[in-house]
Amino acid sequence: MLFLTFSLYFASVSLAQSSTLAQPPVGTPIASLDSYDGPYRPQLHFSPPQGFMNDPNGLFVDPTGIYHLYYQLNPTELVAGNQHWGHATSPDLYHWTNQPIAISPSADNPQGLIFSGSAVLDPDNTSGFFPAGSLNTSSGTIGVIATYTLNTPTAEVQNLAYSTDNGYTFTNYSANPVLNDNNYKNFRDPKVTFHEPTQRWVMAVAFADLYIIGFYTSPNMKDWTPASNFSAHGLLGLQWECPNLVEVPLLKDAYAPLDQKFALDNVNGTAWFLMISINPGAPQGGSITQFFTGSFNGTHFEPADGAARLTDWGKDNYAGQLYSGIDATQPQVLMTWASNWQYTNNLPTAPSGFRSIMGVPRHIALAQNTPRSPWTLIQSPFPIPPSLYTTSSPPPSPNASSSTDTATASTPLSSFAPSSYASNTIPLLQATNLSLTNTSTTISLSRTSVLPSGAFVLTLTASNLSSTSPQTGMLNFTLSANTTSTSSSSSSSSSPSTNTTSEDPEALRGGFILSGDGTGLAWLDRSAVKGYTGDPTFTSQFSTTYVLDKDSGRGTFEMMAIIDRSVIEVFLDGGVGPSGTMVFFPEAQGGLDVLVLAAEVGDGVGVTGSVRGLGSAWAEGEGVGSGAFERGFLL
């Protein structure tokens, strides 16, 4: 984790908004200042109750099925610094309970900041920290080992802490540090995993400004032996950090439906996946993450090729970490930080007492059978709980109108939506099976009368795409504020707008352009969203080329987006295409709440759309650790 930002243009704003917050009492969960309902507070994505958050850390799932999320947290300011490990737990990666801070700077070394790291379960007590009889894995009492970077003014070293209560509290190892490379200053972000064939723990750690990922092995996580280095591959940037080395499944059919995509009968072996974050040095500016695929023999990682591949084509996806302890034949689970070091300290969420959010949790795997790509990273959102698509009371009318259609509830098309609902609940806004072929549809998403959460899943699908005839066209969306006008020309434009003025409608735009040569262009445009402007690093427009699957006979393409108040994440063809992540900050008090969907396509091509409203994961009151959550069990 590198605190380099280049928004010098906004230095005064950063200082003005870095208000001091009270240090939380030890052992007490932090409460939010806005009841998790501020105008920019996402309702599906995780955000800290207060303070500044960046990298996800220490991700593991315990034997009771509880997911643990630790994260870089400055609990006393709204800018990076004073780093602790914040902590939250969840049964499903969407409904979170905020826990007390897990690891803090020690009283005898307050300048020693708790930088990024990882956590693993130690069920066989390889570390020796857990006396016989102190753990009972069958009943859910487990030993957890956290390895993290201690940052001091003169060096970065790797420390160890252990937990005997499922990761809620930690004790620092008395012989820390467990790894110190001659007090090297930029040596950080250890990711520890267990290598079954050699029965050894493996640590990947970054020599940041040397462009080296060092691999170390250990029988006990206390004594580490250098094994090999991976260096100077792909993009370099200024520094490398946050390495992840994980074994992941290889899929037979990358285009399988989401409810079948990660099934065991669709897995054809495994491969090793090395992810490295870069800051700065992204093609769009600031921070980004690249990945490599290959093999690992317990000591050496061998990349399959020399290509540099990025995890995202937006600008707000960084420092991702994969959950530990998940079998390699299962889809791995990724959490990312949805921000960018160029501007993160300046973003306008300060009035709600927090800065930064996490991306939605993602299932990931690899595939080798996609057009023009020997290795493809498959990313799709972790399944959204069915309860988030429903409300316990009748929802208001969606108030949807179209030039040819009326948006109505119908059978859900997307596997992200449940196939059935509990008898005592009613689906939230569902506008599905919307015919968009050479027409448009307008849907109200008013937070006061239709969709209080401001969160929804949007899907645009093109069908009857021919494998022999070139086809052109576009599938677009415009999300605007109801105090502005939305013209058909703005919603059906074939490319992002390039210039806006204060008189232009406030809007978020995006879509997909069919290029006629078997490829397409996915794009997003936040240039007309007016809540954060004037920062030259806050790049407005993003796009990526995607090669359509036209030879398998499928003949379809799908663009899916999760939109959640101040963030959008786009997934192409069920996660086969690259993902795009972008934050945005509306000026309008009610947010962006008028959605226009439009398509212009050639003869024979059909386009449909669906919009499914989501409830708030925080709606029943923000999760705060209490008797309801004890030692990782849901009571």
Side-chain angles (χ1 to χ4, degrees):
M1 176 185 61
L2 177 64
F3 294 157
L4 278 180
T5 64
F6 293 89
S7 296
L8 299 180
Y9 183 86
F10 260 68
S12 60
V13 174
S14 178
L15 291 173
Q17 295 188 352
S18 60
S19 55
T20 300
L21 304 168
Q23 178 74 35
V26 175
T28 301
I30 305 171
S32 73
L33 302 181
D34 65 350
S35 299
Y36 270 87
D37 196 30
Y40 299 139
R41 178 78 80 166
Q43 300 300 289
L44 189 70
H45 295 68
F46 178 80
S47 57
Q50 61 177 279
F52 177 92
M53 177 183 74
N54 51 292
D55 311 358
N57 292 163
L59 307 184
F60 76 93
V61 56
D62 71 29
T64 69
I66 297 299
Y67 292 88
H68 291 253
L69 166 64
Y70 305 90
Y71 53 91
Q72 289 287 282
L73 174 69
N74 182 350
T76 59
E77 293 181 288
L78 296 175
V79 293
N82 188 28
Q83 299 304 114
H84 297 56
W85 270 27
H87 184 204
T89 53
S90 173
D92 57 18
L93 291 169
Y94 290 99
H95 294 89
W96 291 97
T97 295
N98 288 312
Q99 302 292 345
I101 289 174
I103 306 178
S104 302
S106 63
D108 58 353
N109 185 18
Q111 289 186 306
L113 303 181
I114 312 301
F115 271 26
S116 289
S118 57
V120 296
L121 305 183
D122 188 17
D124 297 323
N125 195 22
T126 63
S127 64
F129 288 118
F130 313 110
S134 66
L135 305 179
N136 187 341
T137 302
S138 62
S139 68
T141 306
I142 52 175
V144 181
I145 300 292
T147 308
Y148 64 89
T149 297
L150 181 70
N151 172 277
T152 72
T154 59
E156 289 182 337
V157 298
Q158 314 319 313
N159 275 10
L160 182 151
Y162 60 93
S163 171
T164 60
D165 63 358
N166 291 18
Y168 289 87
T169 61
F170 285 88
T171 301
N172 276 307
Y173 177 37
S174 60
N176 276 333
V178 295
L179 187 57
N180 178 3
D181 193 275
N182 297 312
N183 288 322
Y184 193 68
K185 176 54 183 169
N186 293 297
F187 178 49
R188 60 179 173 269
D189 308 336
K191 181 68 165 74
V192 174
T193 189
F194 190 71
H195 187 250
E196 288 284 351
T198 59
Q199 290 293 289
R200 286 290 185 270
W201 297 100
V202 176
M203 179 195 295
V205 61
F207 293 85
D209 55 354
L210 300 179
Y211 311 116
I212 292 174
I213 303 302
F215 296 111
Y216 295 78
T217 63
S218 173
N220 56 21
M221 291 182 278
K222 296 183 290 189
D223 304 298
W224 292 96
T225 301
S228 66
N229 291 333
F230 178 83
S231 63
H233 282 69
L235 299 179
L236 299 182
L238 185 66
Q239 296 199 16
W240 280 6
E241 52 188 11
C242 300
N244 278 239
L245 178 68
V246 179
E247 192 175 10
V248 303
L250 273 173
L251 303 185
K252 297 176 184 177
D253 179 8
Y255 298 96
L258 281 172
D259 59 353
Q260 304 171 30
K261 189 183 296 285
F262 301 110
L264 282 176
D265 59 6
N266 194 39
V267 173
N268 184 28
T270 62
W272 284 86
F273 175 76
L274 176 62
M275 191 164 59
I276 301 171
S277 293
I278 306 163
N279 180 48
Q284 297 272 20
S287 43
I288 196 68
T289 303
Q290 65 181 338
F291 71 92
F292 304 89
T293 61
S295 61
F296 183 70
N297 64 4
T299 57
H300 292 71
F301 174 78
E302 294 294 337
D305 57 33
R309 299 177 174 91
L310 303 180
T311 60
D312 203 273
W313 51 275
K315 196 169 176 175
D316 297 304
N317 180 317
Y318 189 64
Q321 187 173 115
L322 290 147
Y323 270 83
S324 69
I326 298 175
D327 187 88
T329 61
Q330 300 295 320
Q332 300 301 294
V333 178
L334 175 69
M335 291 289 284
T336 65
W337 179 50
S339 196
N340 190 296
W341 278 115
Q342 280 192 324
Y343 43 73
T344 189
N345 285 312
N346 306 322
L347 296 179
T349 59
S352 291
F354 79 100
R355 272 208 180 97
S356 294
I357 64 173
M358 296 297 179
V360 295
R362 303 179 182 197
H363 270 153
I364 74 160
L366 291 169
Q368 292 182 281
N369 57 349
T370 61
R372 301 191 204 173
S373 179
W375 292 94
T376 298
L377 174 62
I378 309 299
Q379 301 185 76
S380 63
F382 194 87
I384 296 173
S387 63
L388 285 175
Y389 288 94
T390 65
T391 179
S392 58
S393 59
S397 167
N399 189 27
S401 62
S402 167
S403 56
T404 57
D405 301 283
T406 298
T408 59
S410 63
T411 303
L413 301 174
S414 168
S415 64
F416 292 106
S419 58
S420 61
Y421 300 96
S423 59
N424 63 337
T425 62
I426 298 172
L428 283 163
L429 166 71
Q430 290 189 84
T432 61
N433 288 331
L434 301 175
S435 176
L436 300 174
T437 306
N438 296 318
T439 188
S440 64
T441 293
T442 300
I443 302 171
S444 170
L445 303 174
S446 168
R447 291 191 195 173
T448 58
S449 61
V450 178
L451 192 61
S453 70
F456 60 96
V457 178
L458 165 66
T459 305
L460 299 174
T461 304
S463 58
N464 301 322
L465 298 175
S466 170
S467 60
T468 57
S469 302
Q471 289 159 325
T472 61
M474 49 200 159
L475 296 68
N476 293 334
F477 67 87
T478 298
L479 184 62
S480 61
N482 64 7
T483 55
T484 63
S485 62
T486 304
S487 66
S488 59
S489 62
S490 66
S491 63
S492 60
S493 172
S494 63
S495 62
S497 62
T498 56
N499 295 287
T500 63
T501 70
S502 59
E503 288 75 30
D504 292 324
E506 183 174 31
L508 172 74
R509 298 182 175 91
F512 191 82
I513 302 170
L514 296 167
S515 302
D517 60 357
T519 68
L521 183 79
W523 60 275
L524 290 171
D525 181 2
R526 62 186 177 190
S527 63
V529 184
K530 302 178 181 180
Y532 182 73
T533 60
D535 184 343
T537 70
F538 196 65
T539 314
S540 296
Q541 298 160 348
F542 308 92
S543 64
T544 188
T545 297
Y546 175 59
V547 181
L548 298 169
D549 173 39
K550 298 179 66 176
D551 298 327
S552 67
R554 288 173 59 250
T556 62
F557 164 78
E558 180 185 273
M559 181 178 191
M560 192 276 289
I562 295 176
I563 301 173
D564 189 10
R565 292 201 181 181
S566 61
V567 61
I568 179 171
E569 296 185 67
V570 173
F571 301 87
L572 307 179
D573 268 347
V576 179
S579 67
T581 306
M582 186 178 77
V583 296
F584 60 94
F585 302 97
E587 180 181 57
Q589 184 174 2
L592 305 181
D593 56 4
V594 176
L595 179 66
V596 176
L597 308 178
E600 294 179 9
V601 290
D603 292 343
V605 177
V607 179
T608 58
S610 71
V611 180
R612 293 186 177 83
L614 294 166
S616 169
W618 306 97
E620 296 178 0
E622 66 178 275
V624 175
S626 67
F629 261 82
E630 183 177 356
R631 298 177 63 80
F633 293 96
L634 277 171
L635 302 180

